[in-house]
């Protein structure tokens, strides 16, 4: 019940923010340790199994960038409509050991190798010891699903990552691939720092 209440409250405050220009950080404070990244992850997981659709940007079918854009729109954040345009929109993360839930990860396209960004996903778990991670994305085969960075197809095409929501801090989750959510530290959060 509390999770649904928090999502509803965030949606209401986000709508107020859009109409009245209320600073977004007012919508993202929570003494229970809740964090806006969890809204993105929850939205992404709500679409598991949704089919891939070229240039898709709705729950009827998504391409990779349409999917990440749709998930982040739940926080009032507008991402570029194509994968290559989303990478420069966030804070670059050079070391995969520093990835966090909600970060965007990018791969080169089939034909372009690492030169041209052709795919994007959202990090859901990180092994900070090895720098490997699990992500959710819209794959041409299987639609919205989880995959792992160590799979050969993704490992050889990995290009980089960015953090759309800076400053996120949390207590590290239990061992890699544990299905429990991390416990967020109490904090005040401002998505638009001065």
């Amino acid at each position: 019940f509390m999770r649904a209440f928090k999502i509803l409250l965030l949606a209401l405050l986000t709508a107020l923010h859009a109409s009245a220009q209320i600073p977004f950080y007012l919508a993202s404070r929570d003494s229970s340790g809740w964090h806006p990244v969890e809204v993105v992850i929850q939205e992404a997981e709500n679409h598991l199994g949704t089919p891939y659709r070229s240039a898709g940007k709705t729950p009827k079918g998504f391409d990779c960038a349409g999917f990440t854009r749709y998930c982040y729109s739940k926080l009032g954040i507008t991402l570029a409509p194509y994968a290559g345009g989303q990478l420069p929109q966030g804070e670059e993360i050079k070391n995969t050991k520093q990835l966090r839930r909600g970060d965007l990860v990018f791969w080169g396209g089939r034909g372009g190798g690492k030169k041209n960004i052709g795919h994007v996903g959202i990090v859901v778990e990180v092994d900070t010891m090895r720098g490997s991670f699990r992500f959710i994305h819209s794959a041409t085969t299987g639609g919205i699903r989880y995959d792992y960075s160590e799979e050969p197809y993704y490992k050889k095409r990995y290009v980089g990552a960015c953090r759309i929501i800076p400053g996120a801090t949390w207590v590290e989750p239990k061992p890699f691939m544990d299905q429990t959510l991390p416990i967020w530290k109490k904090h005040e959060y401002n998505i638009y720092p001065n």
Side-chain angles (χ1 to χ4, degrees), residues 122-189:
I122 302 170
V123 173
V124 293
E125 284 184 289
V126 182
D127 178 344
T128 57
M129 298 297 287
R130 295 188 340 218
S132 58
F133 54 92
R134 184 170 76 136
F135 60 99
I136 188 169
H137 64 127
S138 184
T140 54
T141 55
I144 307 301
R145 68 181 200 192
Y146 295 109
D147 275 304
Y148 297 93
S149 62
E150 294 301 303
E151 293 174 19
Y153 179 87
Y154 296 107
K155 190 171 186 172
K156 72 180 181 180
R157 289 177 173 84
Y158 180 77
V159 173
C162 73
R163 182 161 300 136
I164 300 298
I165 300 177
T169 60
W170 70 85
V171 176
E172 288 295 323
K174 293 180 180 180
F176 187 57
M177 302 310 156
D178 186 334
Q179 296 301 313
T180 60
L181 294 176
I183 301 167
W184 297 94
K185 292 181 180 177
K186 294 180 181 179
H187 63 281
E188 291 189 0
Y189 187 82

Side-chain angles (χ1 to χ4, degrees), residues 9-192:
L9 181 61
L10 178 66
L12 176 63
L13 291 172
T14 301
L16 285 172
H17 167 69
S19 63
Q21 295 305 307
I22 296 170
F24 191 84
Y25 69 89
L26 293 177
S28 45
R29 288 185 195 179
D30 189 323
S31 63
S32 70
W34 171 84
H35 193 280
V37 165
E38 294 307 314
V39 172
V40 173
I41 301 296
Q42 184 63 54
E43 186 63 36
E45 291 175 338
N46 286 343
H47 298 284
L48 281 165
T50 298
Y52 175 86
R53 180 177 289 171
S54 180
K57 54 188 176 198
T58 72
K60 291 181 180 179
F62 293 103
D63 69 3
C64 64
F67 176 62
T68 55
R69 185 177 192 195
Y70 184 86
C71 293
Y72 268 93
S73 75
K74 301 306 175 187
L75 292 178
I77 297 171
T78 303
L79 295 178
Y82 60 99
Q86 293 179 5
L87 179 58
Q89 287 187 268
E91 172 189 333
E92 183 181 9
I93 301 163
K94 295 182 181 186
N95 185 335
T96 57
K97 291 179 180 180
Q98 296 172 343
L99 287 171
R100 296 181 181 159
R101 285 173 59 85
D103 288 343
L104 296 181
V105 282
F106 299 86
W107 294 269
R110 291 178 191 260
K114 292 187 176 186
K115 293 180 182 178
N116 298 314
I117 294 172
H119 194 62
V120 60
I122 302 170
V123 173
V124 293
E125 284 184 289
V126 182
D127 178 344
T128 57
M129 298 297 287
R130 295 188 340 218
S132 58
F133 54 92
R134 184 170 76 136
F135 60 99
I136 188 169
H137 64 127
S138 184
T140 54
T141 55
I144 307 301
R145 68 181 200 192
Y146 295 109
D147 275 304
Y148 297 93
S149 62
E150 294 301 303
E151 293 174 19
Y153 179 87
Y154 296 107
K155 190 171 186 172
K156 72 180 181 180
R157 289 177 173 84
Y158 180 77
V159 173
C162 73
R163 182 161 300 136
I164 300 298
I165 300 177
T169 60
W170 70 85
V171 176
E172 288 295 323
K174 293 180 180 180
F176 187 57
M177 302 310 156
D178 186 334
Q179 296 301 313
T180 60
L181 294 176
I183 301 167
W184 297 94
K185 292 181 180 177
K186 294 180 181 179
H187 63 281
E188 291 189 0
Y189 187 82
N190 184 349
I191 194 166
Y192 302 111

